[in-house]
Amino acid sequence: MRLSHFYLPTQKETPSDAQIASHRLMLKAGMVYQSSAGIYTWLPLGLRVLRKIENIINEEMDAAGCQEVLMPTIQSAELWQKSGRLDSYGKEMLKFKDRHDRELLYGPTNEELITEVFSQHIKSYRDIPKNLYQIQWKFRDEIRPRFGVMRGREFLMKDAYSFDIDYEGAKKSYWRMYQTYLKIFKRMGLTAIPVRADSGAIGGDMSHEFQILAPAGESSLYYEVAFESLDFDDPNVMDEVVRLYAAVDEKHDPQSCPVPPHQLKQSKGIEVGHIFYFGSKYSEPLGAKVMTPSGQLVNVEMGSYGIGVSRLVGAIIEANFDGEGIKWPDPVAPFQVGIVNAKTHDPKAVAFADAVYEKLKEAGVETLYDDTDERPGAKFANMDLIGLPWQVIVGAKAVEKGIIEIKRRSDGTRQELDLTSFINQLAA
Ligand code: ATP
Ligand code: MG
């Protein structure tokens, strides 16, 4: 993509109402535009990151045997009447009426709707287990929308729902999602700590929040130091993760904590996911029953599994930035490479930079080419702000010797290379 064609409305001034780094940087880097309180327009750069995150989630959910669906954002209030949540959900739910005076709502979550969808066709143990998920916008009329996309009113969520014949099956579905979540966050370059969130009900140990450690987080948590050295690529790491201690502030009691203080760390956390088992809480009132092998009709056993997709964009920035801007981890970066031609007025340098761009495109590398007439200093500052993992700088040596300078955004290291070696390095 040529920057001269790309819609990238970066801002020089620091937005005054943005209290945390990710909010400030997303506005400055032209990723989002605030349309009203807690409601955002995703601009091209921001949308590319959102899609990268969605893709990782899709791949891992599909690999775990889940199937994607897409439910509407608008739901009938009638369904929520049946589950009893129409009144109990509270003011976060946005309700309104259509022209026939029928009550509707903008879905804050989808347990009721998916249970109804499921029960239309699934009647027998032969058809389950199933796990259906979607990536869809939700609306919650948060009392204090803040921190940009981290606590929005309209936000993108991945929500999955598992259906099993009995508790044993539901347990398997739950732990499969637990493991899948560790993989998903790992692939985004994040360490997510699963924190037990006791639901108080049966299977109360089957509710976990996934928290990213970051000073800007809204949760306060205690966690065992050992989390930091876990190798999440090792499939056997599961048992250990589950055993390790982590608790949010309100649940942490120093008196009864099973871990000695020197093994504990305290941090702020950002909740990026939440999984829980809730048995027949919705299947019973909504009549979602299945036939067992012995011919008995039972309420289907369910769990639900959320990921804050749009919140993750902010959370990833909170874990990866410095004074100059964002430092995208490669798997979620909007482009892999940014090209800066530092000699805009030299036709040979322009021709060289054009050729670098064409070759990177041919090699399938997602590239943003700053082909504008801005001063080199402004171009470099802009590249650091938007945080692409690699910068390719075309300067005097390019024209003379065919050598480009490569800067790695994450650690600032620089090397001089010819283009082919760089492309090979990227491929490796
Ligand atoms: P929180 O405690 O942060 O309000 P929640 O427990 O209400 O979140 P869930 O119902 O578990 O949220 O939703 C699943 C995921 O959706 C959360 O883990 C979070 O990452 C994300 N999420 C929830 N509310 C918001 C919001 N207002 N803005 C952005 N993401 C959100
Ligand atoms: Mg939650």
Side-chain angles (χ1 to χ4, degrees):
M1 179 69 66
R2 284 176 180 266
L3 186 56
S4 56
H5 292 271
F6 193 54
Y7 185 57
L8 185 68
T10 52
Q11 295 176 29
K12 293 222 168 53
E13 277 80 55
T14 300
S16 59
D17 57 333
Q19 305 166 35
I20 60 168
S22 58
H23 188 191
R24 205 165 58 235
L25 290 169
M26 287 182 75
L27 293 172
K28 282 187 79 173
M31 293 176 64
V32 288
Y33 169 76
Q34 184 175 329
S35 299
S36 55
I39 301 180
Y40 291 86
T41 294
W42 289 78
L43 301 172
L45 192 76
L47 188 59
R48 290 180 74 99
V49 177
L50 200 63
R51 294 281 184 256
K52 288 277 168 81
I53 293 173
E54 288 180 47
N55 281 340
I56 291 175
I57 294 174
N58 281 135
E59 283 177 21
E60 293 300 333
M61 291 299 288
D62 294 349
C66 311
Q67 290 164 69
E68 190 172 20
V69 297
L70 187 59
M71 289 177 266
T73 52
I74 309 289
Q75 304 179 22
S76 148
E78 219 174 289
L79 251 185
W80 288 66
Q81 203 103 54
K82 286 188 197 160
S83 73
R85 281 212 290 183
L86 188 61
D87 298 319
S88 69
Y89 199 90
K91 289 198 165 166
E92 268 80 47
M93 187 193 281
L94 179 66
K95 298 178 212 168
F96 42 91
K97 285 185 173 158
D98 68 11
R99 61 169 73 195
H100 305 293
D101 228 25
R102 279 191 281 258
E103 214 177 346
L104 298 173
L105 56 94
Y106 195 120
T109 179
N110 283 49
E111 280 82 4
E112 284 80 355
L113 191 49
I114 195 75
T115 306
E116 185 187 61
V117 170
F118 171 89
S119 64
Q120 294 307 301
H121 292 288
I122 308 280
K123 308 281 182 200
S124 151
Y125 70 93
R126 287 191 199 90
D127 304 320
I128 51 179
K130 286 264 178 303
N131 185 318
L132 303 176
Y133 78 98
Q134 67 169 352
I135 296 179
Q136 177 63 295
W137 295 92
K138 305 288 184 286
F139 191 92
R140 294 182 186 175
D141 203 353
E142 300 275 355
I143 187 158
R144 269 186 78 197
R146 57 184 182 155
F147 301 154
V149 299
M150 296 253 267
R151 184 163 297 284
R153 291 198 296 165
E154 191 182 48
F155 61 96
L156 191 58
M157 194 203 284
K158 186 285 294 178
D159 43 324
Y161 305 88
S162 64
F163 302 89
D164 284 275
I165 191 86
D166 54 19
Y167 178 62
E168 283 310 308
K171 222 155 91 174
K172 267 194 207 137
S173 296
Y174 181 88
W175 292 108
R176 183 172 303 125
M177 278 299 103
Y178 181 103
Q179 199 172 10
T180 301
Y181 273 40
L182 292 178
K183 277 195 205 153
I184 287 174
F185 298 127
K186 168 88 199 284
R187 276 189 64 184
M188 296 172 188
L190 297 169
T191 304
I193 295 196
V195 181
R196 197 182 285 188
D198 198 337
S199 60
I202 36 150
D205 60 330
M206 294 208 297
S207 174
H208 287 85
E209 288 174 358
F210 288 77
Q211 299 270 354
I212 301 301
L213 303 179
E218 289 186 282
S219 323
S220 261
L221 58 130
Y222 290 86
Y223 65 97
E224 210 167 331
V225 191
F227 269 115
E228 292 177 355
S229 50
L230 286 180
D231 173 12
F232 289 109
D233 287 333
D234 176 358
N236 299 318
V237 83
M238 266 285 283
D239 297 343
E240 201 184 344
V241 187
V242 178
R243 232 179 352 93
L244 290 177
Y245 180 82
V248 289
D249 205 11
E250 312 88 71
K251 299 261 165 70
H252 171 72
D253 174 9
Q255 247 63 53
S256 61
C257 178
V259 178
H262 70 275
Q263 284 178 28
L264 271 189
K265 277 197 166 179
Q266 199 184 356
S267 171
K268 290 287 181 190
I270 301 169
E271 184 193 318
V272 290
H274 192 171
I275 59 177
F276 57 102
Y277 160 76
F278 48 73
S280 59
K281 183 171 173 196
Y282 299 99
S283 57
E284 194 182 344
L286 295 168
K289 291 185 191 301
V290 277
M291 189 79 79
T292 66
S294 61
Q296 238 188 322
L297 263 186
V298 296
N299 296 319
V300 69
E301 285 277 309
M302 292 175 62
S304 78
Y305 315 90
I307 291 183
V309 181
S310 48
R311 176 178 287 183
L312 267 168
V313 180
I316 292 170
I317 296 174
E318 289 298 334
N320 301 278
F321 73 96
D322 63 14
E324 317 312 318
I326 304 166
K327 304 198 278 188
W328 291 115
D330 301 63
V332 296
F335 297 91
Q336 294 309 306
V337 174
I339 305 173
V340 173
N341 176 12
K343 292 174 75 67
T344 325
H345 300 297
D346 177 347
K348 280 190 186 150
V350 173
F352 192 93
D354 284 355
V356 169
Y357 174 56
E358 291 305 326
K359 282 193 190 132
L360 283 170
K361 261 204 314 195
E362 262 168 47
V365 180
E366 294 169 301
T367 304
L368 183 65
Y369 170 24
D370 188 345
D371 59 343
T372 66
D373 289 335
E374 277 283 352
R375 295 174 295 113
K379 286 187 177 182
F380 292 135
N382 201 44
M383 277 298 170
D384 281 350
L385 171 64
I386 67 174
L388 310 183
W390 300 97
Q391 296 174 15
V392 169
I393 299 146
V394 175
K397 277 195 186 155
V399 180
E400 289 158 20
K401 299 184 199 149
I403 297 288
I404 48 179
E405 191 184 350
I406 309 293
K407 176 177 160 186
R408 181 77 171 143
R409 177 66 181 98
S410 58
D411 57 12
T413 51
R414 290 168 189 269
Q415 39 176 170
E416 292 190 333
L417 278 180
D418 62 278
L419 182 62
T420 311
S421 313
F422 175 57
I423 290 175
N424 291 340
Q425 190 178 315
L426 281 181

